[in-house]
Amino acid sequence: MKSKLLFPTLLLCAAAPAWAQTTRPLTGQILDDAGAGLPGVTVVVQNTTLGATTDPDGRFALNIPAGGNVVLTISYIGFATQTINVGTQTNLKVSLKSDEKALDDVVVIGYGQVKKSDVTGSIVSVKEEDLKKVPVANVMESLQGKLPGVDIVSAGGSAGAPVNITVRGNRSINASNGPLFIVDGVQYNSIQDINPNDIAGMEVLKDAASTAIYGARGANGVIIVTTKKGAAGKTRVNINSYYGSTDKVFYPKVNNAAEYVAQKREANRTTGLWSSPTDDAKIFTNLELQAIADGTSTNWADLLLRHGVQQEHQLSISGGSEKTKFYLSGDYYNEQGLFRKDDLHRYSFRANIDQALNDKVRIGLQNQLTYYNQNVRRDPTNQANKITPLTSPYAADGTLVLYPNNQAALNPLADEQEGNYANNSRTTRTFSTAYVSYQILPSLNFRSNLGLTLSNGRTGIYQGQYSLDRNGQVAQSSYGTQFDTNWSWENILNYNKTFGDHSISATGVTSLLTFNTENSNAQGRNQLLAYQQYFALANANQQVGINSAYVDSKLISFTGRVQYGYKGRYLLTLTGREDRSSKLAKGNKGSFFPSAAVAWRIIDERFMKDLTAVTDLKLRVSYGRAGNYDVPAYSSQSLLSRIPFAFGETGAAGYTFANRIGNPDLGWEISLTKNVGLDFGFFNNRLTGSVDVYDTHTSDLLLNRFLPLTSGVSFITQNIGETRNRGVEVGVNARVVDSENLRWNVGLTWFKNKEEILALGTSNNDITNGLFIGSPVRVFYDYEKVGIWQTSEVDAAKTFGQKPGQIKVKDLDGDGRITAANDRRVLGSAVPSWSGSLSSDVSYKGFDFSVQVFARIGQMLNYEYAQIFDPQGIENSSRQNYWTPENPSNDYPRPDASQSKSTLQNGLFGTTLGYRDGSYAKLRAVTLGYNLPAAWLGKAFSSARFYVQGKNLLTLSHIDNYDPERAGAITTPIPRVVTAGVNIGF
């Protein structure tokens, strides 16, 4: 009870009036550089609790001590702080000077903002200009490699493909590892909706001290997005537009006709069926023989992959008066992927309005409306890469050959035929936030935020009889809908006060969040009329079915934070948050998450004054506790699922437990994080940066424990297991040249994270699910390939039941046998040893040129292309240096017509062929731009910039013709993009 009373008591005591004394009135007005009144400026009498905040016209009134020297401190974010000696004056007029450095130093934190010099946690800021350097549909793509500790990789190259984001590694195994996104103070999960041109800035909160204010929601890091707002003065209009072309530059090729014929001949030479071209009739069909004679060689991937398009066009209008400010924008984004029937149309609209009702009350509304119309193509390359190049896709009369590969596989062009395939989704999402702010006292503010997200989606799929998915079976249609309603209500009390050398800031928050999802799906087969696709499912006459579901969860929280500073030199932050989640079991729903952080501004100490080369130096230390509850709703309950049942010949409804049985003791996953950081600046801050070292220990993992089949269920989610993440993060920025006409800025980031499983549900590894104590979460566990058995090793190979030309793996235990239990090991991890980026920005007069390089080093991948190898030579294969008696390679086994692909994979260690070093360095973006001189613009334009840019231009790796960012997959390749754009301001 005492702890609950402490925080409100602190606020009441701090807000108490100063001791009664003789006073006199003082009025005044605070102006900006242009002479306009500044609202919200803080005016404080030094060494007292007396103060005021200016009204929308910049005016203030307060009572000051009648005697003695009265000094006012006037401060406002974005302007240099001033001190004024009042003397005998009764009315003041003060002009504040803009401070660009101060603007750069403002950092948005949870439920507030502070100067960068006062930050105690590990936070990375991203300014508006950094977001514009790489025009993309998803703003997180433009930050790849630029944020120390934040791993951002593309999930694929299809239209609208998302990105995968982790902050300081994977803590959880089954629960989510994705960060929390806060947009204008409210949680929002669909960051891809936000147009990058609408964003004013971003902050990434990484350590527990920074994220603790968000409790369980911030366990995996927090990314705060602030959208643009209007400003008093002239109405401004901006146009941002670009158009780009994409191509498949990084895509490996399979065998052409000559290479396919050679491999098939070798496969049959191994069995003795073929010895020379005179034996071709024994292994090739008449049609194949004719194709060989005609020189037929079909590259199926080239028939499927095309040049795509990326384009975006945005118009924004902003302005307002001292009381009313607005920002409006509309945006259209279109992407046509590398495959036909893979395209995205996105329309988004934003309206931000802020209104001052009087000098104490402000209200605001931010609205985001986004509409998606997307066609999704099932990737056909998996099929295409297997088809023999000795066939043609079309018959002599121009019609499509449905089964060109000896009736073994459907033509991969089948889905492109009119009316044969459709997969269309349409989503409308509305994101609205409203706030009211009341300045109770000059030092005390109350704000209430209300956020609402409504998402309505529909997905329709039609798969014709001769589509890739149906492959000759009757047509199938499905129609699904989903409706999401998420709303939040947060009340925030902020107190800020300075007492001489002491400053204190206190924040209290109450929060309620709800998450509600309704969905339904209907499907049927053998649609009567193909052109009805998925719209008339009642006409389907086979396997018509309907399913629906409802999911609801809530989170309620109470938060308190106190920030204390002494002389701006010694800083302390204490945070505590109580979260209660409906997803967890009764008795375990709530948990408390505290954190503490201290910072020492070493640069302000006297002993640093003579070290003129050092212009900034601050040490930060933090420790905190965070939680995670992000598992499927109702995981604490045992649910029922319907099964087919009958009484004799009569059908009936039967029910059994669902695959997951409920856990009545399900509780929180807990992470404890230590962080030590150093911020520095040298040579008048021409060289600045930070270094962070952290250690996160996560226990009581929300882990799925798989149960024996005799239990009647599959698994249960329990609090078992531990993980640990340790790492180092470095970010450095150098203004190498900073003259009137020439500027050169270089940025470098480097970060390393060691991810490790400390414990699982038992003392043993979980081999079935690929989880190993002492290793990262995502690893590759298999035999270790050491080469190919050579002719000189025939006797040694025989002891292992093998022969020359077959895959040779390491006998780890040395017992002369290769067994799954004793001769497999962890070969590598999908987690990189380190990542980093280097960016260079040069501007000379009106020209600007920027280069960004991104690297991800030390990870392993399982290369899908390497597994496209048919030892029999029936299907096509990837181009490989395989073993023959004349070519004793150690790369690939000898083709053998007596061995199927399944035998190679499961019995002859074929799974070892795909493991590769996935390290790569990528020329992420190169941009050349030109800003038209002001003299050319006239009165109609305020700015005009034209630019060209290339993205993913070059990738250096150990794998030819492949972008390792795809992590081994060769489906939906990541394209190279060349764009041209314009930014115009009115």
Side-chain angles (χ1 to χ4, degrees):
M1 185 65 183
K2 290 181 179 179
S3 62
K4 294 182 178 180
L5 291 175
L6 177 61
F7 186 68
T9 302
L10 174 64
L11 291 179
L12 290 173
C13 292
W19 294 106
Q21 56 181 298
T22 304
T23 61
R24 64 183 178 90
L26 174 69
T27 59
Q29 186 179 24
I30 310 300
L31 309 173
D32 63 13
D33 292 337
L38 280 173
V41 178
T42 301
V43 181
V44 177
V45 179
Q46 280 191 359
N47 302 319
T48 75
T49 60
L50 300 174
T53 302
T54 58
D55 65 14
D57 296 321
R59 301 184 185 278
F60 71 92
L62 60 90
N63 291 321
I64 64 174
N69 293 325
V70 176
V71 179
L72 299 182
T73 299
I74 303 171
S75 59
Y76 189 64
I77 291 176
F79 291 81
T81 299
Q82 285 195 32
T83 56
I84 302 294
N85 196 325
V86 177
T88 60
Q89 299 178 81
T90 58
N91 185 271
L92 297 175
K93 183 168 285 190
V94 180
S95 294
L96 296 183
K97 295 184 180 296
S98 297
D99 186 348
E100 295 300 326
K101 182 177 182 300
L103 280 173
D104 291 339
D105 284 348
V106 174
V107 176
V108 177
I109 60 175
Y111 306 105
Q113 57 186 15
V114 298
K115 291 190 297 183
K116 186 176 181 181
S117 60
D118 293 338
V119 169
T120 57
S122 181
I123 300 176
V124 180
S125 293
V126 183
K127 301 304 179 184
E128 177 185 350
E129 56 269 22
D130 295 322
L131 302 174
K132 293 181 176 180
K133 290 179 180 178
V134 183
V136 288
N138 189 326
V139 66
M140 297 308 297
E141 284 190 68
S142 66
L143 301 176
Q144 187 180 53
K146 291 185 175 183
L147 307 174
V150 183
D151 191 27
I152 303 173
V153 293
S154 175
S158 59
V163 294
N164 297 320
I165 307 168
T166 56
V167 179
R168 293 185 167 181
N170 296 288
R171 300 167 183 78
S172 302
I173 295 177
N174 293 129
S176 171
N177 283 292
L180 168 71
F181 284 94
I182 300 293
V183 179
D184 293 330
V186 176
Q187 178 174 337
Y188 191 57
N189 297 326
S190 303
I191 188 63
Q192 68 274 12
D193 292 354
I194 309 297
N195 187 311
N197 291 308
D198 288 339
I199 297 176
M202 298 174 64
E203 267 76 26
V204 182
L205 283 55
K206 297 182 293 185
D207 67 329
S210 302
T211 64
I213 193 76
Y214 291 105
R217 294 187 295 154
N220 299 317
V222 180
I223 299 177
I224 300 177
V225 177
T226 304
T227 62
K228 293 179 179 178
K229 296 185 178 182
K234 179 183 176 181
T235 298
R236 297 183 178 275
V237 179
N238 288 281
I239 295 175
N240 301 288
S241 179
Y242 69 85
Y243 183 93
S245 175
T246 65
D247 66 69
K248 61 175 194 315
V249 65
F250 304 113
Y251 193 80
K253 295 182 180 296
V254 293
N255 286 336
N256 59 27
E259 292 162 335
Y260 170 77
V261 168
Q263 183 169 327
K264 189 165 187 175
R265 286 171 172 171
E266 183 62 32
N268 287 275
R269 183 171 78 124
T270 303
T271 61
L273 184 61
W274 185 95
S275 60
S276 71
T278 58
D279 294 325
D280 279 352
K282 298 178 182 179
I283 62 175
F284 294 106
T285 66
N286 290 332
L287 290 176
E288 290 175 329
L289 291 172
Q290 185 62 49
I292 294 172
D294 294 342
T296 300
S297 184
T298 300
N299 187 318
W300 289 90
D302 281 351
L303 296 175
L304 293 163
L305 292 163
R306 61 172 180 173
H307 286 277
V309 170
Q310 288 182 8
Q311 59 178 316
E312 186 169 18
H313 312 284
Q314 190 235 18
L315 171 68
S316 67
I317 305 173
S318 64
S321 63
E322 294 299 334
K323 289 191 176 182
T324 305
K325 299 178 177 63
F326 67 89
Y327 175 86
L328 307 173
S329 75
D331 178 81
Y332 169 68
Y333 176 80
N334 169 243
E335 183 174 358
Q336 299 173 28
L338 297 178
F339 297 111
R340 298 169 187 85
K341 294 191 175 184
D342 176 28
D343 58 73
L344 168 68
H345 299 268
R346 184 190 71 191
Y347 306 84
S348 61
F349 306 90
R350 171 164 287 274
N352 293 351
I353 300 174
D354 297 274
Q355 175 70 46
L357 300 182
N358 53 47
D359 61 346
K360 290 184 176 292
V361 181
R362 297 170 182 268
I363 60 174
L365 184 67
Q366 291 86 39
N367 283 298
Q368 171 86 28
L369 174 64
T370 310
Y371 173 72
Y372 289 90
N373 184 357
Q374 183 169 12
N375 292 302
V376 178
R377 172 78 181 275
R378 176 215 194 271
D379 188 300
T381 56
N382 182 53
Q383 184 93 318
N385 289 328
K386 299 176 183 178
I387 295 182
T388 166
L390 296 177
T391 58
S392 298
Y394 299 101
D397 60 0
T399 59
L400 190 76
V401 179
L402 287 177
Y403 290 96
N405 193 26
N406 299 324
Q407 301 296 311
L410 187 68
N411 193 320
L413 297 171
D415 284 356
E416 296 181 5
Q417 306 310 297
E418 187 67 30
N420 195 42
Y421 177 84
N423 185 342
N424 178 260
S425 63
R426 303 195 179 193
T427 303
T428 302
R429 193 153 39 237
T430 303
F431 174 53
S432 298
T433 65
Y435 75 87
V436 57
S437 174
Y438 176 42
Q439 195 71 38
I440 304 171
L441 296 170
S443 56
L444 186 63
N445 175 269
F446 172 78
R447 179 180 172 120
S448 185
N449 291 337
L450 184 65
L452 175 65
T453 302
L454 298 175
S455 180
N456 192 359
R458 182 274 290 164
T459 300
I461 301 175
Y462 174 74
Q463 300 160 333
Q465 180 177 5
Y466 291 104
S467 63
L468 293 179
D469 290 312
R470 300 307 295 160
N471 193 23
Q473 302 179 70
V474 296
Q476 178 173 288
S477 303
S478 66
Y479 189 95
T481 63
Q482 181 163 315
F483 186 70
D484 296 311
T485 305
N486 301 331
W487 67 270
S488 63
W489 183 31
E490 294 185 314
N491 295 293
I492 307 140
L493 194 63
N494 269 314
Y495 173 79
N496 296 278
K497 199 69 176 178
T498 299
F499 307 90
D501 291 334
H502 307 272
S503 65
I504 188 168
S505 173
T507 301
V509 183
T510 64
S511 176
L512 173 63
L513 290 87
T514 71
F515 307 91
N516 181 284
T517 298
E518 302 175 34
N519 60 61
S520 62
N521 182 269
Q523 71 174 25
R525 293 181 179 174
N526 202 19
Q527 189 86 330
L528 183 63
L529 300 172
Y531 69 80
Q532 292 181 339
Q533 294 187 342
Y534 42 78
F535 291 111
L537 288 178
N539 294 333
N541 57 39
Q542 293 182 19
Q543 297 188 19
V544 177
I546 299 176
N547 296 287
S548 62
Y550 174 87
V551 178
D552 184 81
S553 65
K554 293 179 174 61
L555 181 74
I556 188 170
S557 309
F558 303 91
T559 308
R561 178 181 62 201
V562 176
Q563 297 167 287
Y564 169 76
Y566 176 66
K567 292 185 176 182
R569 186 184 309 165
Y570 310 108
L571 307 167
L572 169 68
T573 300
L574 300 175
T575 306
R577 176 160 175 145
E578 175 88 14
D579 280 326
R580 297 184 62 83
S581 171
S582 64
K583 288 186 176 182
L584 303 178
K586 186 177 180 180
N588 292 330
K589 294 185 180 296
S591 189
F592 182 66
F593 304 107
S595 75
V598 294
W600 175 27
R601 285 192 51 77
I602 305 172
I603 191 63
D604 292 335
E605 297 290 353
R606 291 182 179 179
F607 59 77
M608 295 294 297
K609 290 184 177 180
D610 294 332
L611 299 176
T612 56
V614 183
T615 46
D616 189 22
L617 193 63
K618 180 173 68 174
L619 178 66
R620 298 175 278 104
V621 179
S622 68
Y623 182 79
R625 182 178 191 262
N628 194 344
Y629 68 100
D630 199 2
V631 291
Y634 315 119
S635 293
S636 64
Q637 304 175 32
S638 296
L639 307 179
L640 296 178
S641 63
R642 183 175 175 174
I643 59 173
F645 194 70
F647 290 101
E649 299 297 324
T650 304
Y655 296 89
T656 185
F657 284 116
N659 286 336
R660 182 189 65 233
I661 193 170
N663 179 4
D665 299 316
L666 190 64
W668 290 87
E669 182 176 286
I670 301 299
S671 294
L672 301 175
T673 299
K674 295 173 282 189
N675 191 98
V676 178
L678 184 69
D679 302 327
F680 57 84
F682 297 100
F683 315 116
N684 199 25
N685 283 343
R686 294 286 293 271
L687 177 66
T688 59
S690 64
V691 179
D692 279 87
V693 180
Y694 63 88
D695 189 343
T696 299
H697 180 266
T698 303
S699 59
D700 296 328
L701 295 180
L702 291 165
L703 189 61
N704 291 333
R705 169 175 279 177
F706 290 83
L707 303 174
L709 294 177
T710 54
S711 67
V713 293
S714 298
F715 65 91
I716 182 173
T717 303
Q718 292 182 304
N719 294 106
I720 50 176
E722 300 177 35
T723 62
R724 186 182 185 186
N725 279 269
R726 291 169 287 170
V728 180
E729 302 165 352
V730 180
V732 179
N733 190 79
R735 289 184 289 128
V736 182
V737 178
D738 192 0
S739 63
E740 182 179 355
N741 292 324
L742 178 63
R743 289 183 173 86
W744 180 22
N745 193 83
V746 176
L748 172 69
T749 67
W750 182 89
F751 53 99
K752 176 182 179 65
N753 179 75
K754 183 179 181 181
E755 184 180 301
E756 184 180 9
I757 298 175
L758 298 182
L760 293 167
T762 65
S763 58
N764 299 320
N765 296 322
D766 184 353
I767 297 176
T768 302
N769 294 291
L771 302 175
F772 299 89
I773 297 172
S775 298
V777 173
R778 295 177 297 153
V779 298
F780 300 100
Y781 178 78
D782 208 336
Y783 303 98
E784 182 182 353
K785 176 178 173 288
V786 293
I788 303 296
W789 290 108
Q790 302 299 320
T791 304
S792 60
E793 300 175 300
V794 60
D795 293 333
K798 189 174 182 180
T799 63
F800 290 95
Q802 293 185 264
K803 60 183 179 180
Q806 294 182 340
I807 298 172
K808 179 181 180 181
V809 298
K810 192 170 186 177
D811 180 14
L812 295 180
D813 63 355
D815 65 352
R817 297 180 303 137
I818 303 297
T819 61
N822 300 319
D823 295 306
R824 292 184 296 170
R825 70 175 184 87
V826 174
L827 302 174
S829 168
V831 178
S833 298
W834 62 268
S835 300
S837 75
L838 175 67
S839 61
S840 173
D841 300 277
V842 180
S843 63
Y844 177 71
K845 295 185 176 179
F847 290 94
D848 61 85
F849 178 73
S850 65
V851 177
Q852 181 189 343
V853 178
F854 169 64
R856 208 166 181 260
I857 306 298
Q859 74 267 26
M860 177 178 279
L861 55 81
N862 192 351
Y863 192 24
E864 182 184 354
Y865 174 78
Q867 300 293 352
I868 306 172
F869 185 80
D870 183 4
Q872 294 178 298
I874 298 174
E875 295 179 348
N876 203 1
S877 297
S878 54
R879 294 177 174 175
Q880 304 295 349
N881 181 26
Y882 51 79
W883 189 94
T884 68
E886 299 78 21
N887 179 46
S889 161
N890 270 301
D891 296 335
Y892 262 69
R894 185 180 190 181
D896 188 338
S898 66
Q899 295 175 2
S900 67
K901 290 178 69 173
S902 176
T903 300
L904 175 65
Q905 291 291 310
N906 301 322
L908 293 171
F909 316 113
T911 56
T912 64
L913 295 173
Y915 303 117
R916 297 285 190 278
D917 181 352
S919 303
Y920 66 92
K922 176 183 290 191
L923 187 56
R924 182 71 176 91
V926 176
T927 307
L928 175 64
Y930 180 66
N931 293 275
L932 293 182
W936 295 10
L937 298 176
K939 296 183 179 180
F941 300 94
S942 60
S943 63
R945 177 176 181 265
F946 300 88
Y947 66 90
V948 292
Q949 182 180 86
K951 292 186 293 187
N952 300 327
L953 295 178
L954 175 67
T955 299
L956 301 177
S957 75
H958 298 283
I959 308 174
D960 295 332
N961 301 317
Y962 180 70
D963 186 344
E965 190 174 344
R966 282 297 284 121
I970 59 171
T971 55
T972 61
I974 297 174
R976 178 176 61 187
V977 187
V978 178
T979 61
V982 60
N983 308 122
I984 299 177
F986 298 90

